[in-house]
Amino acid sequence: PINVRFRSSKTHPNDIAVIIGNADYTQGKDIPNVAPAYADAEGMKRYVKQALGVADDNIIFLKDATQKDMISTFGSVTNHKGRLFRYLAPGKSRVFVYYAGHGAPGEGDSNYLVPTDAEASLIELNGYPIKTLYKNLSKLPAKSVTVVLEACFSGTSQGGSLIQRSSGITVVPKASAVPSNITVI
């Protein structure tokens, strides 16, 4: 990351940040790497510490998050009480989530964050659904929830297509509905 200094904020002991930088997809199958994801995640970590005042102990920092990491952090389709939930001070915590890595489209209005152990042709089975992320975050007893997604959900990237041996069509993903108590950038 570039050496940027942010205006300092007082420490907010109840605030929590989850920062994910998925750059190395070699443990998956047929997915190109995302070169800037580590630097972007490190830069965001500096930002949440300096500018937002999130304490080190309240930052969940994941490099190359697998599907297991995402489920254990954000919860599953049937249980929203993952690691993030346990960090919260109900009604007091502001939650900030940052993700840098691949996104992928699914059928209909389904979109997925792409874990580093995913297989491109099976993304609907081994991706982390955006719908699940939003649903689980909306159930948190947090003061506020802000999500920043640095991902493209078209199925293509600068490193190549996430769906190998496919035709040259372009997928225009439909945005997943965002609950009213979450801000998504």
Side-chain angles (χ1 to χ4, degrees):
I2 58 172
N3 190 13
V4 176
R5 300 207 58 69
F6 302 100
R7 186 174 304 185
S8 293
S9 171
K10 68 176 186 153
T11 301
H12 298 277
N14 296 312
D15 291 355
I16 293 126
V18 177
I19 300 170
I20 299 173
N22 280 358
D24 183 357
Y25 283 88
T26 55
Q27 63 180 316
K29 186 169 186 216
D30 295 332
I31 300 174
N33 290 335
V34 179
Y38 291 156
D40 294 347
E42 287 289 343
M44 195 56 69
K45 183 177 180 183
R46 288 181 192 171
Y47 173 75
V48 300
K49 286 170 61 174
Q50 292 174 9
L52 299 182
V54 178
D56 268 333
D57 291 347
N58 288 351
I59 298 173
I60 300 169
F61 188 79
L62 302 170
K63 283 176 78 172
D64 298 327
T66 63
Q67 184 185 47
K68 177 186 77 114
D69 294 331
M70 291 182 170
I71 291 170
S72 65
T73 300
F74 299 116
S76 67
V77 173
T78 58
N79 184 347
H80 70 282
K81 295 183 179 180
R83 185 172 166 201
L84 173 58
F85 180 85
R86 292 189 310 237
Y87 273 56
L88 286 174
K92 296 179 182 178
S93 297
R94 294 180 305 165
V95 173
F96 182 86
V97 176
Y98 174 81
Y99 173 84
H102 283 301
E107 292 187 21
D109 64 350
S110 298
N111 295 308
Y112 299 86
L113 298 180
V114 180
T116 57
D117 59 347
E119 184 174 337
S121 64
L122 300 172
I123 203 65
E124 291 183 341
L125 296 175
N126 55 35
Y128 190 83
I130 292 289
K131 284 182 183 180
T132 301
L133 177 70
Y134 292 164
K135 182 183 97 183
N136 290 354
L137 291 175
S138 74
K139 291 180 180 181
L140 296 177
K143 192 174 187 179
S144 68
V145 178
T146 301
V147 178
V148 177
L149 298 177
E150 190 174 335
C152 175
F153 293 91
S154 68
T156 61
S157 76
Q158 290 177 335
S161 177
L162 268 64
I163 304 166
Q164 300 296 317
R165 295 174 296 283
S166 62
S167 66
I169 63 166
T170 300
V171 176
V172 179
K174 295 179 183 174
S176 298
V178 178
S180 62
N181 62 340
I182 299 175
T183 300
V184 176
I185 300 169

